[in-house]
Amino acid sequence: AQSVSQHNHHVILSEAASLELGCNYSYGGTVNLFWYVQYPGQHLQLLLKYFSGDPLVKGIKGFEAEFIKSKFSFNLRKPSVQWSDTAEYFCAVTINTNAGKSTFGDGTTLTVKP
Amino acid sequence: NAGVTQTPKFRILKIGQSMTLQCTQDMNHNYMYWYRQDPGMGLKLIYYSVGAGITDKGEVPNGYNVSRSTTEDFPLRLELAAPSQTSVYFCATEGSDTQYFGPGTRLTVL
């Protein structure tokens, strides 16, 4: 079974700092990759996704992620974080032939200090 | 267009009680999912459905049951609540290879 690892459980940054959250998965076949965000008290929302094509994908709110197949990684980045980016971030992987079932990482809590 | 709605938002159960968590969607998506989210953990798939009348177990199905009589509704049933089922439960649908989540139900079993 595939697994998803998010290496940072809690990240604390000051506003305007750059962000990179790591995500690695353990499946050798074709996958779809996602980053979701969960703001305090809200449900999960899709930030961005990768299915195929350009491995650098851009999402909402200035976030981007790069798929590196050789490293089984899909790291999330943002050049300059804002206080409003404080949230929990989840990486998820779906195997194409697996009825769309996603495996989620344990999440990374991002706290941005004003 | 409400998307995915879940009721109730909060619930406290005693050990051994039963309840049904409701999930309704108005996006006409065939695929629906139930997840639980425990503190500090990611989402674990409980059950899923690929269409009306079809359901299957996910990663953590024990203690739960589901039904899918219509495209819109995908209720999750707890028959004998246990403290280990204290969690936040999310329902989701899938369209265009992307999942859409409901607001969640926070369940506490005492």
Side-chain angles (χ1 to χ4, degrees):
Chain A
Q2 72 269 28
S3 64
V4 179
S5 297
Q6 291 182 240
H7 313 296
N8 312 104
H9 292 293
H10 196 175
V11 173
I12 302 173
L13 294 174
S14 299
E15 276 194 314
S18 64
L19 170 71
E20 181 160 3
L21 301 182
C23 173
N24 287 88
Y25 64 94
S26 65
Y27 180 73
T30 304
V31 295
N32 295 336
L33 298 157
F34 305 84
W35 275 99
Y36 291 90
V37 60
Q38 187 176 28
Y39 297 104
Q42 296 188 27
H43 57 93
L44 277 81
Q45 303 169 43
L46 181 68
L47 263 182
L48 48 78
K49 61 186 178 183
Y50 171 81
F51 292 162
S52 64
D54 188 344
L56 183 64
V57 292
K58 295 191 184 298
I60 60 172
K61 304 187 181 186
F63 286 91
E64 65 179 30
E66 184 175 13
F67 170 50
I68 303 179
K69 189 173 182 179
S70 60
K71 294 185 178 180
F72 299 91
S73 70
F74 190 55
N75 291 356
L76 181 72
R77 300 195 291 249
K78 186 171 184 179
S80 176
V81 295
Q82 300 171 314
W83 175 79
S84 58
D85 292 325
T86 294
E88 192 156 16
Y89 293 81
F90 293 93
C91 180
V93 173
T94 302
I95 296 174
N96 282 355
T97 57
N98 206 13
K101 291 185 288 184
S102 290
T103 299
F104 285 79
D106 286 345
T108 297
T109 301
L110 172 66
T111 302
V112 180
K113 295 181 177 179
Chain B
N1 192 340
V4 182
T5 57
Q6 291 183 238
T7 57
K9 284 190 168 58
F10 303 94
R11 184 72 186 268
I12 298 175
L13 287 180
K14 294 182 179 178
I15 295 172
Q17 286 186 318
S18 62
M19 77 163 293
T20 299
L21 283 68
Q22 302 291 346
C23 174
T24 301
Q25 55 113 349
D26 62 1
M27 296 180 285
N28 202 33
H29 289 164
N30 284 322
Y31 284 31
M32 295 187 75
Y33 306 85
W34 272 107
Y35 293 93
R36 58 179 287 171
Q37 183 184 23
D38 298 323
M41 306 285 285
L43 280 71
K44 303 292 184 188
L45 182 65
I46 305 171
Y47 269 95
Y48 69 100
S49 169
V50 300
I54 307 169
T55 63
D56 206 348
K57 295 177 180 179
E59 187 182 352
V60 289
N62 291 345
Y64 306 94
N65 275 302
V66 293
S67 59
R68 185 92 182 272
S69 56
T70 66
T71 299
E72 293 77 20
D73 299 305
F74 190 40
L76 177 71
R77 178 94 180 148
L78 283 72
E79 292 293 351
L80 290 169
S84 60
Q85 293 178 303
T86 294
S87 190
V88 181
Y89 292 83
F90 289 99
C91 178
T93 70
E94 181 174 317
S96 302
D97 294 316
T98 299
Q99 294 195 5
Y100 299 87
F101 288 83
T105 294
R106 186 175 294 275
L107 176 67
T108 302
V109 182
L110 301 174

